[in-house]
Amino acid sequence: MTTTVVVGAQWGDEGKGKVVDVLAPEMDFIVRYHGGSNAGHTVLRNGQEFKFHLLPSGCLRPEKISVIAPGMVLDLPLLLEEIEALESFGVEKPNLRISPKVHLVMPYHKRLDELEEARRGERAVGTTKRGIGPAYADRAARTGIRLSDLFHPDEFREKLAFNLAEKNVLFQHLYGENPMPVEPMVEEYLRMREAIEPYMADTGHLLQQALRENKNILFEGAQGTLLDLEYGTYPYVTSSHTISAAVGLSTGVGLRQIDRIIGVSKAYATRVGGGPFPTELVGGLGDHIRSAGKEYGATTGRPRRCGWLDLVLLRYAARVNDLTSLAITKLDVLRGLEKIQVAVAYRYQGRITQDPPEDLGRLSECEPIYESFPGWSEVPKTEQWEEAPEPIQKYIDFVQREVAITVDILSYSPAPADTLRNSRLKA
Ligand code: IMP
C-alpha cells in the first residue's frame, strides 16, 4: 500500500496532470481534494488532449476509482459537462465518487468574482473568475450550499433565498447590476440531482476502507504552493490550501497515513495572474519560453508570465509541503538556449539570503542572484537516467543538491512515454 500526494511546487501549471497520469497505472484511487474549476490539467491520450477542470485525471481510466473529496468547490453544470465530454474518449460513465459535503460554486459566486475583480481595478488578483474565492468565503461564513442540500429541496430553497437576499444587495447597490431571482436557480439545480446522485458517496469512509485493504491512493493537488491561501504570495493567491497538509484537512485521511509527497516544478517558472515573481523575464527570453512551452492558461487562455527557475522558492516549497521528492517537467522547452539561469539566493533589504521573506508579499523587493548553466540541444533518448544529455544531468544534479531532495521524475514532452523515472519511486 502507498499513498502519494502530488503537489505543485510553484504557481500552478507545473505539469501535475502528466505526472499524475504517469503514476496512475499503479494506483487504485485518484483523489482531488481542493480547488475547483480554476484548475486545468491537460492529459494527452492517443494524440488527443483532454483538459480536466473538475474531474480527477483518473477518470480517463475507468478501472481506477476517482474521488472528489469534501475540500473541493464544485461548479455542478460544468462537472456534468465534463462527464459528458468523457464519452468522446470512450468513457461512458466514469468510476467516480463525490462527497455530498462538497460546497457548490453557485452562479452568484461566479458573477461576484467577476464584478469584484473589476472593482479592485489595479489591485485585482487576476483570478480565473470561476467563483472560487466567493464560494470558499461563503463556506467559511457558514452560508455555503453543499451538494447534500440539493436533496432537501425546501431547505435548499430557503438557504438560496437567504443568500440571494444578501448577494442581491451587493449586485444592485455596490456593483449597480440587476438582482438574480431565486426560483429559476432552485429549479435549475434541482433538475441536476438525478444526474449527480449515482456518484455520491461517503468518500472519507471509502478511503479509510481502501487503506485497510492496502490499496494505492494518489492525491492530485491543484494550483501550486505559492498560491496557497496561507503560505503563498497573499493576497495574490487562490482561496484554498494548495500545500500537502490540505490532504489531511480535506479527505478524511490522516497525516500519518501519507507515504510520499512529490513536488512538481517546471525546469523554469511561470505564473498567471497578478503578484510578485522575482525571476520573471519580461520580453525577449520570456516571450521565447512562452511560445516554446505553449504557456497559455488551460482555464482562461491567458498568456502566462515566464521566468527562470527559482531555487529559493523551490526550497521553500520543499519545506512547507514536506516533500519527499521532486518531479521536474518541460525540460524540452529550454532546448536550444545557450545559457540557462537559476536563482540561488536573493538580495533583500541590503543582505543576501537563501530564504524568502516570511511575508511572501515582500518578494517584489527581492532581487535574485543567479547561477548560469550551459543549455542543452537534445532531450533524453533512452529510459536510462545515466544516459540523459550531460547538461541536463548537471542541471538536475544542481537542483537536487540545492534543494536537498531527490528528483525522481523528469519529463521532456507532454507524451506519457517521454518521462524518466527513478526506480526507487515505483509503488
Ligand atoms: P482563483 O483561484 O480563480 O481565485 O485565482 C487566484 C489566483 O490563482 C490567480 O492568480 C489565478 O491565476 C491563480 N490560479 C488559480 N488556479 C490556477 C491554476 O490552476 N493554475 C495557475 N494559476 C491558477
Side-chain angles (χ1 to χ4, degrees):
M1 176 209 81
T2 15
T3 47
T4 307
V5 183
V6 172
V7 287
Q10 300 173 300
W11 281 283
D13 310 316
E14 298 93 346
K16 295 179 291 295
K18 164 155 177 188
V19 171
V20 167
D21 204 37
V22 164
L23 298 173
E26 294 139 39
M27 302 294 160
D28 301 296
F29 286 76
I30 295 169
V31 184
R32 262 202 70 183
Y33 55 94
H34 74 95
S37 62
N38 48 352
H41 292 177
T42 309
V43 174
L44 203 64
R45 197 53 95 252
N46 306 325
Q48 226 185 325
E49 267 192 357
F50 193 95
K51 283 193 177 25
F52 289 97
H53 296 288
L54 287 164
L55 288 173
S57 315
C59 280
L60 282 180
R61 302 170 188 270
E63 71 280 11
K64 315 285 175 197
I65 298 182
S66 292
V67 174
I68 289 182
M72 282 189 75
V73 287
L74 218 51
D75 182 337
L76 205 46
L78 196 73
L79 180 81
L80 295 176
E81 267 173 40
E82 259 182 44
I83 291 177
E84 232 180 275
L86 280 174
E87 264 185 45
S88 62
F89 284 78
V91 179
E92 242 165 59
K93 187 170 178 272
N95 202 350
L96 174 68
R97 311 284 188 279
I98 306 175
S99 165
K101 286 215 273 265
V102 287
H103 279 248
L104 299 183
V105 175
M106 300 299 289
Y108 47 84
H109 291 134
K110 289 194 272 190
R111 201 166 167 220
L112 282 171
D113 197 355
E114 193 150 348
L115 292 168
E116 189 54 18
E117 278 286 278
R119 193 174 81 92
R120 279 173 172 252
E122 279 195 353
R123 291 186 307 115
V125 175
T127 71
T128 59
K129 299 187 181 147
R130 295 296 193 269
I132 306 300
Y136 276 118
D138 277 1
R139 184 176 87 152
R142 293 155 295 185
T143 54
I145 300 216
R146 301 199 290 183
L147 183 55
S148 57
D149 289 328
L150 298 186
F151 296 84
H152 306 279
D154 293 339
E155 280 172 42
F156 172 59
R157 182 177 280 107
E158 228 173 82
K159 285 185 183 176
L160 204 56
F162 181 83
N163 287 356
L164 277 173
E166 180 211 12
K167 309 300 181 203
N168 281 336
V169 171
L170 295 176
F171 287 136
Q172 287 177 283
H173 301 292
L174 181 63
Y175 304 112
E177 295 282 325
N178 292 328
M180 294 178 94
V182 178
E183 212 43 45
M185 211 180 289
V186 171
E187 278 165 29
E188 183 196 351
Y189 275 76
L190 291 185
R191 264 201 305 275
M192 289 186 266
R193 287 183 304 179
E194 200 181 327
I196 205 72
E197 193 171 11
Y199 299 109
M200 287 167 59
D202 180 344
T203 57
H205 188 258
L206 183 75
L207 292 175
Q208 284 302 336
Q209 196 179 342
L211 288 170
R212 277 196 298 278
E213 289 169 5
N214 286 327
K215 303 286 189 199
N216 293 332
I217 305 179
L218 192 150
F219 297 95
E220 177 180 5
Q223 290 86 45
T225 303
L226 302 166
L227 291 173
D228 184 274
L229 182 58
E230 186 97 69
Y231 291 93
T233 51
Y234 190 88
Y236 296 97
V237 294
T238 190
S239 296
S240 70
H241 289 289
T242 60
I243 63 168
S244 57
V247 170
L249 279 173
S250 304
T251 65
V253 167
L255 294 179
R256 286 178 304 143
Q257 292 174 305
I258 302 297
D259 299 314
R260 310 187 295 199
I261 305 172
I262 304 172
V264 186
S265 167
K266 285 177 189 169
Y268 49 97
T270 63
R271 153 159 229 179
V272 61
F277 182 0
T279 59
E280 183 169 13
L281 292 163
V282 179
L285 264 175
D287 292 345
H288 167 79
I289 293 175
R290 181 176 312 111
S291 102
K294 298 195 181 77
E295 295 295 356
Y296 294 88
T299 302
T300 58
R302 291 179 292 177
R304 295 178 185 143
R305 302 155 64 192
C306 299
W308 296 122
L309 181 60
D310 187 334
L311 294 181
V312 178
L313 293 178
L314 199 53
R315 273 186 229 115
Y316 172 78
R319 167 157 62 89
V320 299
N321 287 294
D322 192 17
L323 296 183
T324 56
S325 71
L326 282 168
I328 304 288
T329 62
K330 299 193 93 165
L331 281 157
D332 52 318
V333 173
L334 299 183
R335 187 171 32 192
L337 294 181
E338 208 171 299
K339 187 175 85 173
I340 287 167
Q341 291 195 285
V342 187
V344 291
Y346 293 149
R347 194 166 285 113
Y348 175 60
Q349 293 182 346
R351 58 185 187 91
I352 291 177
T353 167
Q354 307 277 320
D355 295 303
E358 209 273 333
D359 173 5
L360 285 198
R362 300 259 82 85
L363 274 183
S364 53
E365 296 162 30
C366 294
E367 184 198 331
I369 296 171
Y370 290 107
E371 286 241 353
S372 299
F373 290 82
W376 44 86
S377 52
E378 33 177 27
V379 291
K381 288 199 177 67
T382 73
E383 284 180 15
Q384 297 306 314
W385 196 265
E386 301 73 24
E387 289 171 15
E390 205 188 309
I392 291 186
Q393 288 201 33
K394 257 181 113 174
Y395 188 70
I396 297 300
D397 277 350
F398 184 76
V399 171
Q400 296 190 123
R401 266 201 320 277
E402 280 284 310
V403 186
I405 290 190
T406 319
V407 175
D408 272 339
I409 296 180
L410 283 190
S411 162
Y412 48 94
S413 105
D418 291 337
T419 314
L420 289 188
R421 269 180 81 176
N422 253 349
S423 54
R424 78 181 193 101
L425 193 75
K426 304 268 156 76

